[in-house]
Amino acid sequence: MRSVTCTAPVNIAVIKYWGKRDEKLILPLNDSISFTLSQDQMCATTAVSISPTFTEDKFWLNGKEESLENPRVQNCLKEVRRRASKRKFEGSDEDFLSWHVHICSANNFPTAAGLASSAAGYACLVFALGQVYGVEGDLSSVARQGSGSACRSIYGGLVRWHKGELEDGTDSVARPIASADHFPDLRVIICVANAGRKKVGSTEGMKRTVQTSRLMQHRVKESVLLRLDAIMEAIKEKDWSSFCDLTMADSNEMHAVCQDTFPPCVYMNDTSHSVSSLVHQYNDIKESQGSFSQKVCYTFDAGPNACLFVPGVVIDEFMTLLLRAFPPSASQNMNDYVRGHQTQTMPVSQAYLSLLDDECQAGQLKFIVHTKVGEGPRVLDDSATLLDAETGMPKVTNDSA
Ligand code: PMV
């Protein structure tokens, strides 16, 4: 038996991927750029075993056996095996391409809650398959065939997914563009307004947008191209203030395009808008003080949860304010409400306190995750495996958990 267990991170786009030019190959209409997040708070874990004794391919997700019929999982599996078959093998190694595979995956955060779980999940699957079959080289174009945004989780730091020009999609790949500490001590705050499944999935939403939104044509032909150039320049110059403005503008444009879709795809809710308005007001104060490097920015995926990027120098101040604006419900304690890194409560000046209005109520946010920017997928040591080394069956299932 050959086995490996890997983890892969979530990524959050600052220039969004929304809309495909090829549904089957998952080729996007525009380039996108993302931050890969630390795996300490959120990651997918996947164990892959192959053995001549397995009688069929099997797949478990979060402790439950699932069908391996899913065409996206099949495409990833086929492509990794195809690449493996092209390698030169020594002796009996060649046999293992015909062995069946057992795959066991788990996320340590809510699946399909707009928390980029599919990106981490597919990146992890493809990375682990690549390890088990000894495939070398770039795997982002394989992960892309699982879930578009997954291709960016193959690398750490700031990553750009190039849409590519070729019809077969071979040049639609992700590449790292800056290291995880490019903007030093950056904090990532995820405000979970709803941890349930989203109403319109991204595949359906994107399709509808491409078919019906005129604003989308303007985005693809003009505005996103200008923004991509501008944000690359901001990254190169380490111009945090411009980076923030461009990130927020792109999120707003994605959600405007979703609203312009017919029937509309509505992902942000009142809580999302309250978080976004708090960030703008906070930034107004920072700008009036000339403290441009202390600005905060938000971005929203296909869900109501805000993802905020906050410079480490102001994290205590900003979190104090955020927790005043969005306190936990009466039944929740602070340790359960804020997960991940801890912050210190600070005295905040009247200027900031006046930002808090009546709209902010306890319990509007379900919980908050405080994490950082991080590195790409990792291989774990054998002791951490999810599949039993003898039988190749999951160590924990929903029945035994
Ligand atoms: O990879 P998908 O189909 O889950 O697409 C997700 C797209 C967004 O998260 C909304 C934006 C992005 O670029 O990640």
Side-chain angles (χ1 to χ4, degrees):
M1 187 177 336
R2 276 182 171 224
S3 299
V4 69
T5 299
C6 302
T7 63
V10 165
N11 75 78
I12 301 286
V14 291
I15 300 294
K16 302 292 190 191
Y17 148 56
W18 191 256
K20 299 180 182 62
R21 64 184 166 92
D22 186 314
E23 294 270 335
K24 202 161 162 273
L25 292 172
I26 314 194
L27 302 176
L29 281 164
N30 60 267
D31 289 19
S32 52
I33 295 178
S34 58
F35 272 121
T36 291
L37 305 192
S38 161
Q39 295 174 60
D40 294 347
Q41 278 71 40
M42 293 188 286
C43 70
T45 305
T46 298
V48 173
S49 294
I50 52 174
S51 162
T53 65
F54 294 167
T55 52
E56 56 178 335
D57 292 346
K58 278 179 168 288
F59 177 46
W60 294 266
L61 179 62
N62 293 325
K64 217 174 126 238
E65 184 161 2
E66 302 263 339
S67 153
L68 249 177
E69 299 286 281
N70 180 336
R72 291 182 173 204
V73 176
Q74 281 299 330
N75 286 347
C76 294
L77 197 51
K78 260 190 227 142
E79 180 58 17
V80 173
R81 282 177 171 155
R82 191 188 67 79
R83 291 189 188 192
S85 70
K86 285 180 139 187
R87 284 191 56 223
K88 287 210 181 337
F89 294 109
E90 296 133 25
S92 63
D93 256 10
E94 216 163 339
D95 286 350
F96 70 70
L97 279 173
S98 60
W99 297 353
H100 285 290
V101 64
H102 283 186
I103 301 165
C104 185
S105 259
N107 289 329
N108 62 355
F109 55 93
T111 304
L115 287 182
S117 58
S118 67
Y122 277 107
C124 203
L125 170 71
V126 168
F127 186 77
L129 287 171
Q131 291 287 325
V132 117
Y133 288 106
V135 173
E136 280 156 11
D138 174 67
L139 286 169
S140 69
S141 59
V142 189
R144 190 200 77 229
Q145 294 174 49
S147 168
S149 56
C151 71
R152 298 184 310 237
S153 278
I154 291 288
Y155 299 105
L158 274 158
V159 180
R160 180 170 182 156
W161 174 12
H162 299 267
K163 73 181 178 74
E165 303 298 333
L166 301 174
E167 268 188 28
D168 67 0
T170 46
D171 58 347
S172 188
V173 293
R175 291 280 178 267
I177 51 175
S179 64
D181 59 358
H182 185 76
F183 290 112
D185 198 24
L186 195 58
R187 308 306 180 93
V188 182
I189 302 294
I190 300 172
C191 302
V192 180
N194 185 345
R197 280 184 181 266
K198 48 196 167 206
K199 282 186 233 145
V200 184
S202 57
T203 305
E204 168 58 22
M206 286 184 201
K207 201 161 145 191
R208 220 191 271 175
T209 299
V210 175
Q211 283 167 352
T212 63
S213 169
R214 286 213 177 191
L215 187 58
M216 179 65 177
Q217 294 178 22
H218 166 70
R219 170 171 171 78
V220 170
K221 288 197 189 112
E222 195 178 323
S223 57
V224 81
L225 302 178
L226 296 174
R227 212 174 284 122
L228 277 159
D229 286 347
I231 209 162
M232 288 301 282
E233 184 64 17
I235 293 168
K236 193 168 133 239
E237 297 301 324
K238 299 201 177 190
D239 175 355
W240 178 247
S241 174
S242 301
F243 183 93
C244 282
D245 291 351
L246 292 159
T247 294
M248 294 188 281
D250 200 69
S251 171
N252 293 342
E253 187 176 80
M254 183 194 116
H255 289 276
V257 155
C258 288
Q259 188 71 53
D260 187 48
T261 296
F262 197 84
C265 298
V266 182
Y267 294 116
M268 291 170 67
N269 62 18
D270 288 351
T271 308
S272 320
H273 291 292
S274 300
V275 175
S276 122
S277 115
L278 180 74
V279 169
H280 280 293
Q281 294 178 66
Y282 181 79
N283 286 349
D284 283 349
I285 298 181
K286 291 297 176 193
E287 287 186 359
S288 71
Q289 295 170 340
S291 308
F292 294 92
S293 62
Q294 297 184 0
K295 280 167 64 173
V296 171
C297 59
Y298 57 75
T299 186
F300 294 85
D301 280 346
N305 307 330
C307 178
L308 311 179
F309 296 105
V310 184
V313 279
V314 291
I315 190 67
D316 286 340
E317 174 186 83
F318 184 79
M319 280 300 279
T320 303
L321 202 62
L322 185 74
L323 293 172
R324 290 281 282 262
F326 300 96
S329 65
S331 61
Q332 218 175 4
N333 68 41
M334 222 19 131
N335 283 343
D336 185 42
Y337 188 56
V338 183
R339 306 175 187 181
H341 297 282
Q342 297 298 310
T343 50
Q344 302 277 314
T345 308
M346 287 197 24
V348 275
S349 71
Q350 196 48 45
Y352 291 110
L353 289 177
S354 63
L355 304 181
L356 310 175
D357 58 32
D358 305 339
E359 281 175 39
C360 304
Q361 285 159 14
Q364 270 183 289
L365 294 179
K366 304 292 171 274
F367 61 94
I368 293 170
V369 182
H370 178 177
T371 181
K372 293 185 179 184
V373 176
E375 308 297 340
R378 297 198 271 250
V379 179
L380 299 184
D381 65 51
D382 290 346
S383 63
T385 186
L386 303 176
L387 289 168
D388 185 86
E390 306 267 297
T391 62
M393 296 300 282
K395 286 184 172 171
V396 180
T397 62
N398 259 0
D399 314 326
S400 58

